[in-house]
Amino acid sequence: MIWYPYQQMKTMQAPFEIVDAEGVYLYTKEHKMIDSVSSWWSVIHGYKHPALNEAIIEQVGKFSHVMLGGLTHEPVRKLSDKLQSFLPGDLDYCFFSDSGSVAVEVALKMALQYYVNRGEQQRTMILALEHAYHGDTFKTMEAGDDEDYHFVLNAYGKSPYVVHIPTEIAALEQAFAQYHEKLNCVLVEPLLQGAGGMRMYDVSFLQRARELCDQYGVLLIFDEVATGFGRTGNRFVADLVLPDILVLGKALTGGYIGHAVTVANHKVYDGFYDDDPAHALMHGPTFMGNALACSVALKSIELFESENYMDKIARIEAITRRELDGFSDPRIREIRIMGGCVCIEVYDSETLRGYQQFACERGVFSRPFLNYLYAMVPYVISEDQLVTVLDCMKAWFSR
């Protein structure tokens, strides 16, 4: 029996069974639905994209996977080279893994060991954000701040290793004044906090974080698993403020296969590059650098560049703002729009009960959570399809 995610199995509604998918559409036996959430924000090119399919098929004809321990291969080498040229600054060193959560774990491990290798073993603390979500593995849960997902950690009590602050510069400065000697990193979802409620904040917070990290010798980590590849309206938020470590996943492979990468700058990498074997990064996911994932990621990045995806994202944001301009309802607390993300936050989660079925009947797949009705559509969506998604959201409040 399948154990489904984020569900009480005893009371959950039966999930939609998908029999086919193409473009922006998911197909059940009875319904054709626009996927308004891009399969947890990853399927940026839509489903069954011929170029991505071809990349997978071509690689399968050679081999699907070999370990990176003692072996290497062309797809992982090409993807590393591509990311080195594609990403800003000196983010040049790629450590691959099989999911975003694991990739954040790797980043946190890098940050801790970077200072251990330097003999600064007192730097055991992480500065993170309130309402943060970085994954469901244990250290990412500890760095997160969302009890709706991670309440199980209450069994351990408050962590002495993580400080959570709001996205306010005064709180950031106060935290550095109090903890800077113990901090090894600042970990953030830059500009857009996803599972914590699609919360959006200003780039000035990140700019100040960069300044303080430089001043006090602390590493800055951007978790761009959700925000990378254009979701905020920027290619990467790292284009605006340069972190020391960047984490990518989800859209990295166009949503085809689980894969992620933790990208370090020269300073971090050099902190491990040594004659002492104890200074090596002792980490190695079985499927890191998977050849199928690397092949499809290369093609995904090629599509992103060659087909002007940043223009597509700007068009999505403009249409969304146009269609929701002036829209309001007493039950709505706030409407937030950034790049390829729109969120309608309501006061009471009961307001959204039944929306998923309502949307399905109108040709839209949606998955509201808590107080948040949102859309993160595939970038290949047409204007008519996007308007259908937005009209469905508005219709819920006018029914």
Side-chain angles (χ1 to χ4, degrees), residues 300-370:
S300 176
I301 295 172
E302 180 184 318
L303 290 173
F304 190 92
E305 289 187 295
S306 64
E307 298 189 6
N308 299 317
Y309 269 55
M310 294 309 300
D311 289 346
K312 296 180 191 295
I313 296 161
R315 178 182 60 85
I316 288 169
E317 179 172 359
I319 293 168
T320 302
R321 292 189 181 280
R322 181 194 74 200
E323 294 299 312
L324 293 179
D325 183 40
F327 175 68
S328 64
D329 184 277
R331 293 164 291 182
I332 295 175
R333 182 178 183 275
E334 187 177 37
I335 298 176
R336 298 187 286 274
I337 301 168
M338 178 183 285
C341 175
V342 56
C343 176
I344 298 177
E345 181 181 351
V346 298
Y347 289 102
D348 186 347
S349 61
E350 285 297 308
T351 300
L352 303 179
R353 183 182 293 274
Y355 179 79
Q356 188 174 64
Q357 185 59 39
F358 174 88
C360 172
E361 293 166 0
R362 287 155 182 78
V364 175
F365 173 70
S366 179
R367 195 174 185 276
F369 65 100
L370 303 173

Side-chain angles (χ1 to χ4, degrees), residues 8 27 63 73 85 92 112 126 134 136 143 150 152 173 236 241 260 311 346 370 374 379:
Q8 172 49 258
Y27 294 88
F63 59 91
H73 53 80
S85 64
D92 291 343
L112 176 61
I126 300 164
H134 297 287
D136 294 329
H150 303 150
V152 66
E173 293 174 338
F236 305 96
V241 177
D311 289 346
V346 298
L370 303 173
Y374 78 95
Y379 299 152

Side-chain angles (χ1 to χ4, degrees), residues 19 27 31 35 39 45 120 147 171 242 249 263 269 320:
V19 298
Y27 294 88
H31 297 286
D35 183 359
S39 275
H45 309 290
E120 300 182 52
E147 289 195 358
L242 190 65
V263 189
Y269 181 81
T320 302

Side-chain angles (χ1 to χ4, degrees), residues 79-202:
L79 180 57
S80 296
D81 290 346
K82 181 59 185 178
L83 288 170
Q84 182 176 359
S85 64
F86 189 57
L87 295 175
D90 65 341
L91 291 165
D92 291 343
Y93 296 98
C94 297
F95 190 98
F96 294 99
S97 55
D98 46 11
S99 74
S101 180
V102 173
V104 177
E105 294 275 357
V106 171
L108 294 173
K109 189 173 181 178
M110 280 181 181
L112 176 61
Q113 189 176 342
Y114 172 81
Y115 291 102
V116 170
N117 286 357
R118 291 158 54 101
E120 300 182 52
Q121 297 197 29
Q122 82 282 3
R123 288 187 177 272
T124 57
M125 295 185 68
I126 300 164
L127 183 60
L129 300 181
E130 293 177 354
H131 311 292
Y133 177 89
H134 297 287
D136 294 329
T137 50
F138 263 70
K139 196 65 180 179
T140 61
M141 286 197 295
E142 186 181 11
D145 182 48
D146 196 323
E147 289 195 358
D148 291 299
Y149 295 97
H150 303 150
F151 58 86
V152 66
L153 290 190
N154 289 339
Y156 291 129
K158 182 175 176 60
S159 171
Y161 301 113
V162 182
V163 176
H164 292 104
I165 61 169
T167 52
E168 299 168 1
I169 290 177
L172 177 68
E173 293 174 338
Q174 181 179 351
F176 264 91
Q178 185 173 355
Y179 299 109
H180 64 87
E181 292 181 347
K182 296 181 179 180
L183 292 176
N184 61 55
C185 71
V186 176
L187 171 65
V188 298
E189 300 160 274
L191 297 187
L192 172 63
Q193 295 181 272
M198 306 300 166
R199 298 168 188 269
M200 302 170 186
Y201 61 96
D202 191 74

